[in-house]
């Protein structure tokens, strides 16, 4: 019976061996046509070692000398020249992830590079190989812990707690549904910051080995949420004039540099390392796109997500395009194996985002109908404002403040832009008689002295355009808010109108401040806290926003009047002063201060809306309007 069992075992072994050899012989030629970028992590190190093991076992039927296998051996040799054995025994390098593919190792030295959790660079297979060679207790503890946490199996890397949290937060934000997970996102970022180091972070916690991908994503999210993070962390990934995912990387992949590009856009004034990172990453990605070589070694994807400059990005536009890129549970990542990350890529996120986008869009379409009725009833066209101008004003509001429950704020934004334009265009016209201008302020102040009467109670001034202006302005200030907010709105507009009345040259410049303060009041941020309006930081934000938006308005006007050569669909705004001012604004908005973050965020939102309008050609804006307001996600 024992002999029969041995015979059956030998038969099974021979059948498996034969099947394995046959598979390799039949498929090895396919490697010649595979993209290097889709090679699994460490394949060029581990696969040659497996071939050598099979040769040592006397398995001779494998085509060891096939050209493609010789090329893989050559790739391995090049990698080992970049990371010599002497170096890998002294410092933590990416080779620690693939120890099972190496030989002649000095384990006494290597064990000193072991992580605190007992692993070698979070790799269960590399750590298992180390245990087989050393019987190290810490290796065994890591393996047992991994098996326990992963229900008896082992992923290619563990843990991935940093990576999973960072990318989950990023996905939720870009899908436009992060508002449903505010407490969870807060917990995730607090967790990330707990393990943040001067060297950055890695996919797993407490790793001394860090990479530019996780570090870039962490830096960006932490900074935008008010955490104090030092940009000099990126010096760890810079060698000469280049940035790399980690030291001695053979081939740089697009996605980590894409993460670096996104991180570099939230820089403060004077942060030279982020300036360098921005220039390098932008040029690197442009070269990749120009050469049609955007295949990535970390995730299987046809292309990078459409990414507009952060200063010119509007939340709903970002979401609309990202929904075309995000594939939910079909997203496949590349490690030592192909794997999926349920915390990052799942159909629940995708379904929620689609439903939410369409729900918001339906609400926006209802509001757009009411805006058109308002436009017709108030004779707005008499002031040279077209329906297309009205649509753009509403789109900028809806693409920024998109949540269904924030109807009042969206309508207030759009109407405020239109009414302020009506007033400035009317008073800027040389054909407007002086007595009509005087009549407007006389009647407006008279109405304010006696409170805010209903629009229908207006008595004609005998000047049709003056009547229209007064009626439309009072209707805006009456709005649908409570009496106290209406009072605050009136006071804010009174200050601006006094500048118009006195003929001060800066009233046109102050339109951005007027819009931001109007929105902050409408959102209830200023209720019973008028002292905020005189806070030095609020004043600084107001001045900075006015300056930025006025310069952007000038650029936009030049485009419309064709005073410059605008041949492209989007404009590279190379104004150094605007660039520096935007950096200063990002610093004011993101850093902790005596003003609530939501108030400061309003100023940034207004500035980005102006930037967007100046950056994109109207043809592209029309496409965005259609996609955001009228084209549902199917």
């Amino acid at each position: 019976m024992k002999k029969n069992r041995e015979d059956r075992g030998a038969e099974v072994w021979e059948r498996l061996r034969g099947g394995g050899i046959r598979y390799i012989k039949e498929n090895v030629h396919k490697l010649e046509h595979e993209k290097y970028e889709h090679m699994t992590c460490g394949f060029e190190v581990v696969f040659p070692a497996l071939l050598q093991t099979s040769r040592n076992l006397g398995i001779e039927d494998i085509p060891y000398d096939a050209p493609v296998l010789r090329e893989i051996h050559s790739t391995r040799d090049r990698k080992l020249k970049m990371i010599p054995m002497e170096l890998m025994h002294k410092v933590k390098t990416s080779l620690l992830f693939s120890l099972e593919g190496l030989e002649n190792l000095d384990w006494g030295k290597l064990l000193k590079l072991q992580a605190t959790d007992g692993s070698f660079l979070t790799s269960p297979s590399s750590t298992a190989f180390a245990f087989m060679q050393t019987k190290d207790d810490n290796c065994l503890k890591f393996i047992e812990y991994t098996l326990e946490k992963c229900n008896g199996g082992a992923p290619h890397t563990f843990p991935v707690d940093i990576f999973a949290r960072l990318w989950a937060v990023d996905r939720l934000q870009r899908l436009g549904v992060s508002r449903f997970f505010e407490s969870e996102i807060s917990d995730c970022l607090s967790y990330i910051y707990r393990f943040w180091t001067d060297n950055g972070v890695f996919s797993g916690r407490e790793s001394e080995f860090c990479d530019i991908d996780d570090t870039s994503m962490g830096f960006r999210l932490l900074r935008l949420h008010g955490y104090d993070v030092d940009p000099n962390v990126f010096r760890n990934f810079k060698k000469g004039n280049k940035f790399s995912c980690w030291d001695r990387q053979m081939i740089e992949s697009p996605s980590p540099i894409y993460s670096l590009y996104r991180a570099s856009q939230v820089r403060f004034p004077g942060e030279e390392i982020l300036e360098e990172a921005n220039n390098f990453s932008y040029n690197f990605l442009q070269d990749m796109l120009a050469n049609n070589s955007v295949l990535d070694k970390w995730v299987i994807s046809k292309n990078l997500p459409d990414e507009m400059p952060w200063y010119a990005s509007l939340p709903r536009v970002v979401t609309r395009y990202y929904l075309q890129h995000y594939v939910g549970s079909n997203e496949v990542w590349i490690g030592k194996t192909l794997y999926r990350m349920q915390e990052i890529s799942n159909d629940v996120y995708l379904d929620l985002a689609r439903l939410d986008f369409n729900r918001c869009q339906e609400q926006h379409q209802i509001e757009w109908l009411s805006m058109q009725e308002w436009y017709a009833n108030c004779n707005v066209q008499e002031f040279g404002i077209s329906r297309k101008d009205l649509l753009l004003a509403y789109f900028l509001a809806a693409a920024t403040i998109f949540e269904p429950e924030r109807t009042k704020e969206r309508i207030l934004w759009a109407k405020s832009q239109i009414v302020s334009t009506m007033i400035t265009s009317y008073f800027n016209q040389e054909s407007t008689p002086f007595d009509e201008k005087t009549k407007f302020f006389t009647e407006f102040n008279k109405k304010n002295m006696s409170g805010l009467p209903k629009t229908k109670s207006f008595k004609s001034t005998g000047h049709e355009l003056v009547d229209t202006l007064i009626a439309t302005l009072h209707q805006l200030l009456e709005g649908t808010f409570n009496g106290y907010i209406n009072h605050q709105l009136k006071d804010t507009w009174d200050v601006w109108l006094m500048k118009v009345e006195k003929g001060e040259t800066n009233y046109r410049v102050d339109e951005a401040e007027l819009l931001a303060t109007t929105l902050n009041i409408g959102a209830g941020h200023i209720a019973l806290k008028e002292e905020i309006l005189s806070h030095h930081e609020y004043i600084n934000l107001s001045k900075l926003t006015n300056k930025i938006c006025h310069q952007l308005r000038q650029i936009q006007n030049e485009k419309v009047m064709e005073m410059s050569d605008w041949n492209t669909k989007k404009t590279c705004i190379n104004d150094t002063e605007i660039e520096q001012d935007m950096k200063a604004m990002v610093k004011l908005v993101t850093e902790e201060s005596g003003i609530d973050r939501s108030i400061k965020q309003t100023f940034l939102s207004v500035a980005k809306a102006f930037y967007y309008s100046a950056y994109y050609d109207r043809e592209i804006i029309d496409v965005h309007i259609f996609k955001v307001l009228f084209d549902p996600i199917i």
Side-chain angles (χ1 to χ4, degrees):
M1 183 176 293
K2 180 178 180 181
K3 187 175 186 303
N4 289 338
R5 283 200 301 269
E6 290 177 351
D7 291 341
R8 286 197 299 272
E11 290 175 3
V12 171
W13 161 247
E14 189 59 35
R15 187 167 63 252
L16 292 174
R17 174 181 175 277
I21 293 173
R22 186 167 58 254
Y23 178 85
I24 292 175
K25 292 173 69 174
E26 291 176 355
N27 293 279
V28 69
H29 68 280
K30 294 180 180 179
L31 289 174
E32 298 175 6
H33 310 291
E34 291 299 320
K35 300 293 185 181
Y36 176 81
E37 291 84 357
H38 288 168
M39 186 183 294
T40 54
C41 186
F43 181 83
E44 72 279 18
V45 175
V46 175
F47 188 60
L50 292 175
L51 291 176
Q52 185 59 49
T53 299
S54 68
R55 177 170 272 173
N56 293 341
L57 291 173
I59 302 175
E60 297 297 338
D61 298 331
I62 293 175
Y64 295 107
D65 294 325
V68 66
L69 296 186
R70 289 202 301 268
E71 177 58 31
I72 293 173
H73 275 86
S74 297
T75 303
R76 179 180 187 271
D77 293 340
R78 289 196 300 272
K79 184 163 189 174
L80 293 181
K81 284 182 180 179
M82 292 184 68
I83 309 176
M85 296 297 284
E86 181 181 358
L87 178 68
M88 73 157 288
H89 283 89
K90 291 181 179 179
V91 298
K92 293 187 176 182
T93 67
S94 58
L95 281 180
L96 291 180
F97 197 72
S98 307
L99 292 178
E100 66 271 36
L102 301 173
E103 54 189 4
N104 301 321
L105 298 174
D106 187 332
W107 290 103
K109 293 180 179 179
L110 286 177
L111 286 174
K112 296 178 181 179
L113 302 178
Q114 194 175 26
T116 55
D117 63 1
S119 75
F120 281 92
L121 213 59
T122 72
S123 169
S125 60
S126 188
T127 307
F129 179 74
F131 175 71
M132 291 168 62
Q133 304 299 315
T134 66
K135 309 303 180 186
D136 179 74
D137 287 341
N138 290 326
C139 289
L140 180 59
K141 289 177 182 178
F142 171 77
I143 295 167
E144 290 176 338
Y145 176 75
T146 301
L147 293 174
E148 178 185 349
K149 290 294 182 180
C150 299
N151 298 318
H156 83 101
T157 182
F158 187 82
V160 288
D161 48 338
I162 301 297
F163 169 63
R165 283 170 170 81
L166 286 173
W167 263 255
V169 172
D170 180 66
R171 294 294 190 267
L172 291 172
Q173 288 185 343
R174 295 164 84 177
L175 289 169
V177 294
S178 58
R179 66 189 188 279
F180 302 123
F181 305 94
E182 289 182 357
S183 62
E184 291 85 354
I185 288 174
S186 178
D187 290 342
C188 283
L189 295 180
S190 177
Y191 184 90
I192 299 300
Y193 193 63
R194 193 194 324 165
F195 295 106
W196 186 263
T197 72
D198 291 340
N199 294 321
V201 288
F202 190 54
S203 59
R205 62 186 177 273
E206 296 180 334
S207 173
E208 294 180 20
F209 183 89
C210 301
D211 70 90
I212 205 170
D213 202 8
D214 291 286
T215 300
S216 296
M217 185 71 81
F219 178 88
R220 180 178 178 276
L221 292 175
L222 289 173
R223 169 161 282 189
L224 288 176
H225 285 80
Y227 287 88
D228 182 18
V229 282
D230 188 345
N232 285 311
V233 69
F234 292 106
R235 296 193 184 280
N236 298 305
F237 307 102
K238 183 173 183 281
K239 191 170 185 179
N241 296 321
K242 296 182 179 181
F243 290 81
S244 185
C245 189
W246 50 62
D247 190 26
R248 300 171 191 270
Q249 177 97 325
M250 282 189 66
I251 294 182
E252 205 60 64
S253 193
S255 61
I257 304 304
Y258 174 66
S259 294
L260 177 64
Y261 174 68
R262 296 179 71 209
S264 70
Q265 293 187 93
V266 294
R267 58 194 181 276
F268 295 165
E271 294 183 331
E272 293 182 5
I273 186 64
L274 289 184
E275 293 285 353
E276 296 168 3
N278 183 261
N279 291 331
F280 171 81
S281 57
Y282 178 82
N283 292 330
F284 177 90
L285 294 171
Q286 286 298 312
D287 289 343
M288 296 288 274
L289 290 170
N291 297 323
N292 195 28
S293 55
V294 292
L295 287 178
D296 201 83
K297 64 181 291 185
W298 302 113
V299 60
I300 296 177
S301 176
K302 293 181 180 179
N303 48 43
L304 293 171
D306 291 316
E307 185 76 11
M308 57 182 64
W310 185 65
Y311 293 157
S313 65
L314 304 180
R316 269 298 92 161
V317 180
V318 170
T319 294
R320 182 61 178 81
Y321 280 88
Y322 192 66
L323 277 167
Q324 296 176 186
H325 175 84
Y326 185 72
V327 294
S329 61
N330 289 324
E331 188 169 51
V332 178
W333 299 78
I334 306 172
K336 282 187 173 178
T337 60
L338 302 183
Y339 68 102
R340 290 185 169 91
M341 288 290 293
Q342 185 66 21
E343 305 94 323
I344 299 170
S345 309
N346 64 71
D347 292 334
V348 175
Y349 289 173
L350 183 58
D351 291 342
L352 174 61
R354 285 172 173 167
L355 289 170
D356 181 67
F357 186 90
N358 290 337
R359 174 170 170 256
C360 291
Q361 189 182 77
E362 290 172 1
Q363 179 62 34
H364 298 163
Q365 290 174 1
I366 294 171
E367 294 168 10
W368 169 234
L369 291 175
S370 72
M371 286 294 298
Q372 293 178 85
E373 292 177 3
W374 173 82
Y375 174 87
N377 293 338
C378 294
N379 296 318
V380 175
Q381 71 276 9
E382 297 295 330
F383 295 83
I385 298 172
S386 66
R387 285 183 180 271
K388 196 168 185 179
D389 296 327
L390 179 73
L391 179 58
L392 176 60
Y394 178 73
F395 163 73
L396 292 174
T400 304
I401 304 173
F402 59 86
E403 299 87 341
E405 65 274 13
R406 299 179 71 182
T407 292
K408 295 179 182 179
E409 296 169 62
R410 271 189 299 280
I411 298 299
L412 184 62
W413 178 321
K415 288 185 177 181
S416 293
Q417 281 202 290
I418 295 300
V419 171
S420 64
T421 301
M422 290 168 65
I423 293 173
T424 53
S425 64
Y426 180 67
F427 283 92
N428 282 340
Q429 286 180 6
E430 294 182 2
S431 60
T432 303
F434 178 77
D435 65 316
E436 286 191 21
K437 295 180 181 180
T438 304
K439 193 67 176 176
F440 169 81
F441 292 110
T442 301
E443 290 299 318
F444 179 76
N445 291 329
K446 186 188 300 182
K447 302 298 183 185
N448 281 343
M449 290 294 292
S450 58
L452 292 174
K454 297 298 181 183
T455 303
K456 291 181 180 179
S457 70
F458 282 156
K459 184 178 179 180
S460 175
T461 65
H463 302 284
E464 184 178 347
L465 291 181
V466 172
D467 289 344
T468 300
L469 269 183
I470 293 174
T472 305
L473 180 56
H474 274 288
Q475 186 188 68
L476 171 69
L477 299 182
E478 289 170 9
T480 54
F481 296 100
N482 62 47
Y484 191 76
I485 288 181
N486 288 341
H487 173 74
Q488 289 182 317
L489 288 173
K490 182 184 75 66
D491 287 347
T492 296
W493 281 75
D494 276 350
V495 171
W496 183 71
L497 287 169
M498 284 177 63
K499 296 178 181 179
V500 179
E501 183 177 12
K502 293 177 180 178
E504 296 182 14
T505 57
N506 66 336
Y507 74 86
R508 188 72 168 125
V509 177
D510 292 348
E511 278 189 58
E513 175 189 355
L514 174 67
L515 177 58
T517 299
T518 296
L519 292 173
N520 275 323
I521 291 172
H525 298 324
I526 312 295
L528 303 177
K529 296 180 287 187
E530 285 91 343
E531 68 277 3
I532 291 176
L533 299 177
S534 58
H535 191 285
H536 70 91
E537 191 169 349
Y538 194 95
I539 294 173
N540 290 338
L541 273 170
S542 297
K543 291 179 178 179
L544 190 57
T545 305
N546 283 334
K547 180 184 177 185
I548 291 170
C549 294
H550 180 63
Q551 291 174 309
L552 291 168
R553 175 71 63 81
Q554 289 179 319
I555 291 175
Q556 185 181 0
N557 289 340
E558 288 178 357
K559 289 171 63 177
V560 174
M561 298 171 64
E562 297 182 349
M563 293 175 63
S564 298
D565 181 18
W566 306 97
N567 292 321
T568 58
K569 301 302 181 186
K570 55 187 179 182
T571 305
C572 182
I573 299 178
N574 287 322
D575 190 297
T576 303
E577 190 173 0
I578 292 177
E579 180 81 8
Q580 291 303 315
D581 287 340
M582 285 299 291
K583 294 175 194 172
M585 172 166 280
V586 173
K587 189 174 192 296
L588 284 172
V589 171
T590 57
E591 288 188 334
E592 291 296 329
S593 68
I595 296 182
D596 187 83
R597 180 181 298 275
S598 58
I599 294 175
K600 298 189 293 183
Q601 184 62 44
T602 300
F603 284 96
L604 182 59
S605 295
V606 169
K608 290 176 72 174
F610 273 76
Y611 202 106
Y612 170 89
S613 299
Y615 184 83
Y616 284 103
D617 182 85
R618 189 56 197 257
E619 183 179 336
I620 293 296
I621 292 177
D622 287 344
V623 173
H624 291 170
I625 290 174
F626 173 73
K627 285 185 171 293
V628 169
L629 296 182
F630 306 112
D631 185 24
I633 297 290
I634 299 174

